[in-house]
């Protein structure tokens, strides 16, 4: 019990009786809760349904983690929702006080549950208190839409996102591992933040997103091109890419590893992990009277052996 806790002061004799009843019911439910091996996962899930329902917060319906609170009548609530309901039980309206349901917390330790992304391919089973941490990093969790022009809320697997980018965002889709793109902007001196249309390449059976945009690096206006891989970081490391831009007999070359779309577009951009071109140099490459941006970016993608 944590130092300074008021649990003992807040639990009366009658509350001990309620807690004892709750403990007995929980223990009866949990006796058959653990699946003995991977082949018995389904039966384990079925037998833990009752206990899992007890661990579901009645307000937010999310799984509860310590500290789990209960009112004098034994109704439980997660710590976040205890604040939301102003310390009053949403079921019986009694004041919650500072009673913790230690029995339910202890029972949760004995549970083993499948990852919530099991329908996406994750077949692992985890202790209750480790499950949430795993799901935050599970390789089968959905990806966020990589479109950079807006904060798109769509998530899904890679085939779903490829179709979404094509049909909803109308991005340019190309087959092949080499590219030659021209980026044009009139009055570039007046533009400090701009995002050009995303381009998606189908290459080596994978999909890659080519980004190009203008933004301020401190007080200096720059342009940046970079590539993101539509998949996990470990798979992205199997590929490399190069970008080249030039004009007037000069050129800049960038070579690197595409970043996974697990990393947000902004995170990649702000880390300068790509071809960065200062505006003055970009206008020099563009030629003419420096009143119009005309950059040609070429590149290729290859698979590391």
């Amino acid at each position: 019990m944590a130092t300074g806790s008021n649990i003992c002061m807040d639990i009366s004799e009658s509350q001990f009786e309620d807690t004892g009843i709750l403990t007995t019911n929980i223990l009866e439910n949990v006796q058959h809760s653990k699946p003995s091996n991977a082949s018995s996962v389904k039966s384990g899930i079925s037998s833990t349904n009752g206990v899992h329902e007890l661990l579901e917060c009645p307000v937010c319906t999310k799984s509860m983690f310590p500290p789990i609170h209960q009112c004098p009548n034994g109704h439980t609530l997660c710590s976040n929702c205890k604040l939301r309901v102003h310390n009053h039980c949403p079921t019986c309206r009694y004041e919650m006080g500072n009673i913790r349901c230690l029995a339910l917390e202890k029972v949760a330790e004995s549970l083993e549950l499948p990852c919530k992304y099991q329908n996406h391919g994750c077949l692992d089973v985890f202790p209750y208190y480790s499950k949430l941490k795993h799901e935050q990093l599970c390789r089968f969790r959905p990806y966020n839409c990589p479109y950079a022009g807006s904060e798109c809320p769509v998530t899904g697997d890679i085939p779903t996102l490829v179709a979404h980018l094509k049909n909803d965002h109308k991005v340019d889709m190309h087959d092949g591992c080499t590219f030659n793109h021209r980026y044009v902007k009139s009055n570039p001196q007046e533009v400090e933040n701009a995002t050009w249309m995303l381009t998606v390449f189908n290459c080596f059976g994978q999909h890659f997103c080519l980004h190009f945009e203008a933004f301020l690096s401190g007080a200096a206006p720059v342009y940046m091109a970079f590539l993101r891989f539509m998949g996990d970081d470990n798979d992205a490391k199997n590929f490399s890419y190069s970008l080249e831009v030039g004009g007037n007999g000069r050129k800049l070359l960038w070579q690197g590893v595409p970043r996974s779309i697990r990393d947000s577009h902004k995170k990649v951009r702000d880390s300068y992990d790509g071809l960065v071109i200062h505006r003055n140099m970009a206008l020099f490459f563009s030629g003419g009277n420096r009143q119009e941006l005309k950059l040609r970016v070429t590149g290729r993608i290859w698979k590391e052996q």
Side-chain angles (χ1 to χ4, degrees), residues 60-250:
C60 65
T61 69
K62 295 179 180 178
S63 296
M64 295 187 289
F65 295 88
I68 298 175
H69 299 277
Q70 72 175 42
C71 77
N73 291 324
H75 304 123
T76 54
L77 193 67
C78 76
S79 55
N80 289 334
C81 290
K82 183 173 182 284
L83 299 174
R84 291 174 58 189
V85 299
H86 306 292
N87 204 37
H88 282 79
C89 176
T91 303
C92 65
R93 306 304 178 188
Y94 269 71
E95 186 172 349
M96 294 290 297
N98 292 312
I99 309 170
R100 277 179 65 176
C101 188
L102 301 177
L104 193 55
E105 292 180 12
K106 189 67 176 177
V107 165
E109 291 181 3
S110 68
L111 294 180
E112 290 186 350
L113 299 171
C115 173
K116 71 177 180 180
Y117 301 120
Q118 61 176 333
N119 291 336
H120 296 279
C122 184
L123 302 179
D124 293 329
V125 177
F126 298 90
Y128 183 81
Y129 290 140
S130 302
K131 178 174 175 285
L132 186 63
K133 183 177 181 180
H134 159 78
E135 289 171 349
Q136 292 172 344
L137 300 173
C138 178
R139 64 185 297 266
F140 293 98
R141 71 191 188 278
Y143 294 89
N144 294 322
C145 173
Y147 190 74
S150 62
E151 294 297 327
C152 180
V154 172
T155 63
D157 58 17
I158 298 305
T160 298
L161 290 183
V162 170
H164 164 68
L165 289 169
K166 179 180 179 180
N167 299 326
D168 298 328
H169 292 299
K170 310 299 182 184
V171 304
D172 293 330
M173 312 290 290
H174 294 275
D175 291 326
C177 300
T178 61
F179 45 90
N180 186 338
H181 280 256
R182 192 163 180 256
Y183 298 98
V184 178
K185 191 73 175 178
S186 58
N187 301 320
Q189 303 284 0
E190 301 175 4
V191 178
E192 294 182 342
N193 290 280
T195 300
W196 277 257
M197 177 61 74
L198 182 71
T199 305
V200 175
F201 296 93
N202 180 8
C203 175
F204 297 109
Q206 306 290 336
H207 290 86
F208 301 81
C209 299
L210 177 63
H211 297 263
F212 187 81
E213 60 185 89
F215 62 98
L216 287 177
S217 175
V222 299
Y223 299 95
M224 182 174 173
F226 57 93
L227 199 72
R228 286 201 292 164
F229 174 74
M230 295 188 70
D232 274 343
D233 186 60
N234 287 336
D235 295 326
K237 293 175 182 176
N238 295 324
F239 300 91
S240 295
Y241 74 103
S242 64
L243 295 172
E244 184 178 308
V245 63
N248 289 326
R250 282 86 169 173

